[in-house]
Amino acid sequence: MENEIAILMAAGLGSRMAPLTEKIPKPLVKVHGISMIESVICGLQSRGISHIYVVVGYKKEKFEFLKNKYNNLSLIDNTEFQIKNNISSIYSVCDIMGSKHCFICESDLYVTDFSIFRKQFHQSCYYGKMFKGHSDDWVFDLNKEGRIIRVGKTGNNTYNMCGIAYFFHNDAKKIAEAVKEAYKRPGHEQLFWDDIVNEQLGNINLVVNPIEDSQIIEIDTIDELAAVAPDYLEYNEVSDL
């Protein structure tokens, strides 16, 4: 859609997936023949996103081919990825956020169902998977009306964060401005960008967009990759490992 952009965060080290990530960045690890980041890109392309910005850092040169393969894609350099948390990736695109409605996506996700990107949104949202019982992951606390009142770690019988969010342009602008302000504070280096969203919940009406477990598969380790794609070595240059 012409009034929408997407920001993909792809700057991290991906150390939990070594030794694959000693050769390539984690988002470029392939699952069933397609890199994780391209499963996200193709899903966004199916919506008709006007432009995709990929924030890179670790082994950034490995992502160059994406600019030739996708004519509406740009790479943004995060020069602080080794010394700051992922707030640095959002800081690097603060001047872009707020210009249009905006997806913000992790790029180490394997998206199996592109239809999750084609929903008509009526307000800003995080994608979430319902989790029964206790979760130590990032979760959302909701009020009775379904509005998110906390974004943070650990919770019970609630939605787990799954790496994709959508913000209307005015909400994206609020977050970008808040990130800039956070950068002036001591200790901002350790913040996640979602911490800033949590601080802004009084200014943003944010809800959960529920999805099913099978629609997005989060893969953090070699064991998790092997469970999803036992033939992963075939696709990931086994001779170079």
Side-chain angles (χ1 to χ4, degrees):
M1 296 184 182
E2 288 302 314
N3 65 335
E4 294 178 334
I5 60 173
I7 294 165
L8 275 59
M9 296 184 293
L13 296 171
S15 55
R16 292 175 63 192
M17 201 174 278
L20 284 180
T21 49
E22 294 171 6
K23 296 290 185 180
I24 55 175
K26 182 181 173 186
L28 296 181
V29 170
K30 293 180 179 179
V31 183
H32 298 305
I34 183 173
S35 65
M36 290 191 280
I37 192 172
E38 287 190 83
S39 78
V40 179
I41 291 170
C42 290
L44 291 165
Q45 296 279 40
S46 76
R47 185 180 177 90
I49 292 290
S50 62
H51 205 86
I52 297 172
Y53 299 90
V54 180
V55 182
V56 296
Y58 176 65
K59 295 188 179 298
K60 61 183 180 181
E61 69 282 357
K62 299 287 188 178
F63 293 94
E64 286 291 326
F65 78 96
L66 293 174
K67 295 191 298 184
N68 297 323
K69 190 170 183 178
Y70 304 98
N71 59 16
N72 66 334
L73 186 147
S74 301
L75 302 182
I76 305 292
D77 193 7
N78 174 0
T79 60
E80 301 179 302
F81 75 95
Q82 289 182 299
I83 58 173
K84 297 184 180 182
N85 218 322
N86 72 7
I87 188 176
S88 60
S89 286
I90 297 302
Y91 183 78
S92 67
V93 292
C94 275
D95 292 338
I96 297 169
M97 286 177 61
S99 60
K100 296 182 179 181
H101 304 330
C102 179
F103 280 95
I104 299 180
C105 307
E106 296 175 10
S107 57
D108 52 358
L109 307 169
Y110 178 54
V111 178
T112 64
D113 182 358
F114 294 165
S115 71
I116 64 170
F117 288 106
R118 296 196 289 269
K119 182 175 179 178
Q120 184 68 37
F121 299 106
H122 301 289
Q123 58 197 115
S124 299
C125 63
Y126 272 98
Y127 286 41
K129 297 179 181 180
M130 174 54 68
F131 189 87
K132 297 297 184 182
H134 178 78
S135 173
D136 290 322
D137 208 339
W138 284 82
V139 302
F140 310 111
D141 290 347
L142 312 179
N143 65 14
K144 293 181 180 179
E145 289 72 41
R147 179 173 175 170
I148 296 175
I149 56 174
R150 182 181 73 96
V151 178
K153 288 192 175 182
T154 76
N156 298 296
N157 300 315
T158 188
Y159 287 97
N160 272 18
M161 184 183 294
C162 53
I164 298 176
Y166 181 90
F167 294 94
F168 280 78
H169 66 89
N170 54 328
D171 292 335
K173 186 175 181 62
K174 290 175 185 176
I175 294 167
E177 294 302 319
V179 167
K180 291 179 182 178
E181 287 300 312
Y183 247 64
K184 301 174 184 178
R185 307 195 312 244
H188 73 271
E189 299 88 352
Q190 302 304 314
L191 292 174
F192 293 89
W193 80 275
D194 306 282
D195 290 318
I196 306 304
V197 176
N198 184 59
E199 294 175 2
Q200 291 297 307
L201 290 176
N203 301 318
I204 299 173
N205 187 8
L206 194 60
V207 299
V208 172
N209 175 44
I211 64 165
E212 299 298 324
D213 283 343
S214 60
Q215 293 177 300
I216 299 176
I217 301 175
E218 299 171 79
I219 303 173
D220 291 320
T221 66
I222 288 288
D223 287 344
E224 291 175 354
L225 176 61
V228 174
D231 52 357
Y232 73 93
L233 287 178
E234 175 184 344
Y235 298 117
N236 287 288
E237 301 178 0
V238 61
S239 60
D240 290 336
L241 293 179

